[in-house]
Amino acid sequence: MSAPSLPDFDDPKLAARVEALPPAALDALPFGAIRVDAYGVVQLYSAAERRLSGSGDRPRLGLHFFSAVASCMDTPAFRGRIDKALAAGRLDLEFGWTGDFADAERGLRVRAQSAAGGGYWLFLQRED
């Protein structure tokens, strides 16, 4: 049996494709993946995101994403966009962001999509 193909960052159904992967495959993605529940608590933080961001092995699971993991993203331009889309009923956003653990000036492409069963996914692709 062959390994499942990994989804592309630009896949319109990225969240659904990621949810269909075995858990170990998330760590092989060429971009970061973070699953946050309906309360903002981190349920999954991929090894790919740890590696690509340079954030290391800090605790993530079970912590509130915006207050305990990425307080720099707790802004109207980042969290505000997500909260507004969630309030409208369906989250499917893409936007640019500047800043990373290892490099505060690094550009990121951010995709936020609703997760099955509530909550949402954050996908982060670093610009070269």
Side-chain angles (χ1 to χ4, degrees):
M1 185 152 125
S2 64
S5 64
L6 297 177
D8 184 74
F9 188 82
D10 293 314
D11 188 318
K13 298 182 187 261
L14 182 55
R17 293 277 318 276
V18 165
E19 288 170 350
L21 293 172
L26 294 174
D27 295 333
L29 291 169
F31 50 85
I34 303 167
R35 168 76 164 74
V36 179
D37 72 11
Y39 301 101
V41 175
V42 176
Q43 301 298 303
L44 182 140
Y45 199 96
S46 72
E49 177 59 18
R50 289 178 184 276
R51 181 182 71 255
L52 295 167
S53 70
S55 66
D57 291 330
R58 297 181 181 111
R60 301 283 191 302
L61 299 182
L63 299 178
H64 190 273
F65 181 74
F66 289 110
S67 63
V69 176
S71 59
C72 61
M73 294 175 172
D74 192 4
T75 67
F78 196 104
R79 184 180 184 178
R81 289 179 185 178
I82 292 170
D83 288 347
K84 184 176 179 180
L86 287 170
R90 187 79 181 149
L91 178 61
D92 189 2
L93 298 173
E94 180 175 343
F95 56 93
W97 189 254
T98 301
D100 209 349
F101 282 100
D103 181 358
E105 300 302 316
R106 177 180 250 173
L108 302 174
R109 283 180 63 203
V110 178
R111 292 199 57 202
Q113 291 187 330
S114 295
Y120 55 92
W121 286 91
L122 292 171
F123 302 107
L124 298 103
Q125 183 176 57
R126 273 80 189 167
E127 297 175 355
D128 292 330

